Amino acid sequence: MAGFAAAEFFPVCVFDDCETQVQEPLVLKLVAQNGAPIPLPTLVSWAMGNGERPSSEDRLVVPLVEAGQYEVCRIAFSHLPAYLRGNRPAERCAAGALAIGGKLTLRVPGR
């Protein structure tokens, strides 16, 4: 049986430039566990079902998730095909391993 822990994601705003919101009209917040995409609404629902409420659009604490490798990225919609082929630009993604009973905080670079 897998152990569970808490993960804390800081996905960033919906736009590349939170100040002016003009550089990229659609930026996706993407989360993956062990390489498998997890829809952000699913994570929000899981967090809320386990007593957490999103404190802002930029922060999400997700309790009781399975240990493993996690990644959170901020990808322009136009770059989604490359992302799905495995091209995860370091300047747009953060990754780390969540240990059983541990805590993982991921902050997307370039904010």
Side-chain angles (χ1 to χ4, degrees):
M1 180 172 171
F4 292 91
E8 195 169 348
F9 300 103
F10 295 84
V12 305
C13 70
V14 175
F15 298 92
D16 260 354
D17 183 339
C18 295
E19 299 286 324
T20 61
Q21 300 183 0
V22 296
Q23 289 185 353
E24 184 70 50
L26 181 58
V27 173
L28 304 173
K29 301 170 190 176
L30 304 170
V31 179
Q33 177 199 21
N34 298 325
I38 304 172
L40 194 55
T42 300
L43 285 175
V44 171
S45 177
W46 178 265
M48 292 177 71
N50 285 285
E52 289 289 338
R53 300 286 180 256
S55 59
S56 72
E57 185 176 315
D58 293 339
R59 180 180 174 155
L60 176 62
V61 176
V62 185
L64 302 173
V65 294
E66 189 173 5
Q69 184 71 25
Y70 285 85
E71 175 183 59
V72 60
C73 296
R74 180 181 64 168
I75 303 292
F77 184 76
S78 59
H79 295 135
L80 184 59
Y83 173 86
L84 294 174
R85 286 191 305 270
N87 181 8
R88 268 78 165 171
E91 70 275 6
R92 297 286 183 181
C93 298
L98 178 63
I100 295 172
K103 179 179 177 181
L104 174 65
T105 300
L106 297 175
R107 297 177 192 276
V108 177
R111 172 98 199 260

